[in-house]
Amino acid sequence: MGQQEKVSTSLAGAVGEGISASLAPVDAELARRYPGDPGTRQPVHTVYVPGDAFDAGTIRSWGDEALASLDEHAPDAATLARVLGLPGGLAEAVYTRVRAKLEREPVEDLRVDFEDGYRGRDEDADAARAARLLAEAHARGTAAPYAGIRMKCMEASVRDRGIRTTDVFLTGLMEHGGLPGGLVLTLPKVTYPEQVTAFVRLLEAFEKAHGPDTRRIGFEIQVETSQAILAADGTATVARMIDAAEGRATGLHYGTFDYSACLGVSAAHQAGDHPAADHAKAVMQVAAAGTGVRVSDGSTNVLPVGGTDRVHQAWRLHYGLTRRALARAYYQGWDMHPGHLPTRYAAVFAFYREGMEAAAARLAAYVARTDGDIMDEPATAKALSGYLLRGLDCGALDDAEVARLTGLTRTELDAFARPRRGDLTATPR
């Protein structure tokens, strides 16, 4: 054993204590504003169904229509692989899992829409019915993991209607057993942080009316206007909106077509891969980073309907947009038609399955501190475990195969990710 190295210092302990004391407010602010990812499941998509069309069979009918579309336009793995250009060796596993997903859990996140998609004549009755049906689905165990409503926004012309629909819906849930796990509210067309604050006050009033045992309600903010990205003073409004939510914001959702139209993008070029869309989502992503608020991509309005050639063309577009979003760390998007479900899940499952072995090997090497051709840091190990956990959550990967490849249990993977946050109803069960 070599000679013990002499260690000397020049500063008194009071110096470090003084620095720590001066930074204590910053430490508290960092912990408050940037708690990190909540560590809960994030759905891979949100399905929007008009409030006047929603019924008890909606989720199952979406799954059945998606399966029928597969049967007609891609009856086997080879056909789907040829249409989408699935990576070699993945076709059978992806196809089998897509069909199983559509049979077992076709919709991960359901939003009953009382905004743009709503065409009903009695919004009170439809909101009350939505609450009853969602409560009954939870009682039967057939509800989507996440479900809720999108109400009208806080702009003056529709504000009273949006407030009333929110009240009717939430009150209906309380009357049918209470606020369920996985409850999600979506506040659309937010332009000013003050509109977010107003919605917080609304939810606080509802919780106060129902007593101290009422669960704290979270909500998503929908980004559909240019002012939500850049304020008149040049600041990033969306960052101020997260702060205005006072810890209740759970997601930022990009509204493809309203946002594009707001910027004057012509209808033929309104899409998720337009440069204007990329800019908006990049600002949302940076604003949300570390806050525990998740970012969702928008949708495509090209529907996979009609003859097989037309369906295949729409599928290729949707698959490509979904894969593009996943590569950019937008792990959620919107689906507007049952025919989008096969390509949503095909894209998601292929994304996680094709990277599973490499991610698992890197994480196992990090845990074992073994040498390899890539030197990873703790932040990368966190990202690797998060990637595998998302694959497990949606059904792309199995617990057994991930455990075999990493040597880690689900609990150990969770420990590499992030401890779970708070009791917001917008975070899932």
Side-chain angles (χ1 to χ4, degrees), residues 387-425:
Y387 172 89
L388 294 171
L389 286 168
R390 284 189 295 272
L392 289 168
D393 284 341
C394 68
L397 311 178
D398 295 329
D399 286 319
E401 62 184 348
V402 172
R404 174 176 56 81
L405 291 168
T406 62
L408 301 172
T409 65
R410 175 64 188 253
T411 300
E412 290 168 330
L413 284 173
D414 280 327
F416 274 106
R418 178 74 174 93
R420 304 194 174 195
R421 182 179 66 140
D423 184 30
L424 292 176
T425 55

Side-chain angles (χ1 to χ4, degrees), residues 48-49 51 110-118 123 148-153 162 165-166 169 184-189 220 222 224 253-255 258 334 336:
Y48 277 78
V49 177
L110 173 69
R111 205 69 72 252
V112 183
D113 190 16
F114 291 95
E115 205 232 353
D116 285 348
Y118 182 69
E123 191 161 333
I149 65 168
R150 177 172 70 169
M151 69 294 296
K152 291 177 175 62
C153 68
T165 296
T166 304
F169 175 71
V184 189
L185 303 178
T186 303
L187 181 64
K189 292 183 175 61
E220 302 166 337
Q222 201 159 6
E224 301 176 271
H253 283 230
Y254 176 67
D258 282 288
W334 299 6
M336 310 302 288

Side-chain angles (χ1 to χ4, degrees), residues 331-401:
Y331 299 116
Q332 186 175 353
W334 299 6
D335 288 327
M336 310 302 288
H337 187 274
H340 286 139
L341 299 186
T343 38
R344 169 68 61 183
Y345 291 123
V348 170
F349 292 173
F351 176 75
Y352 290 113
R353 291 205 66 78
E354 71 181 12
M356 172 182 62
E357 292 190 4
R362 286 176 65 178
L363 185 57
Y366 174 83
V367 172
R369 296 294 194 273
T370 57
D371 295 330
D373 57 356
I374 300 176
M375 185 172 67
D376 287 320
E377 297 182 353
T380 305
K382 178 180 175 180
L384 291 167
S385 61
Y387 172 89
L388 294 171
L389 286 168
R390 284 189 295 272
L392 289 168
D393 284 341
C394 68
L397 311 178
D398 295 329
D399 286 319
E401 62 184 348

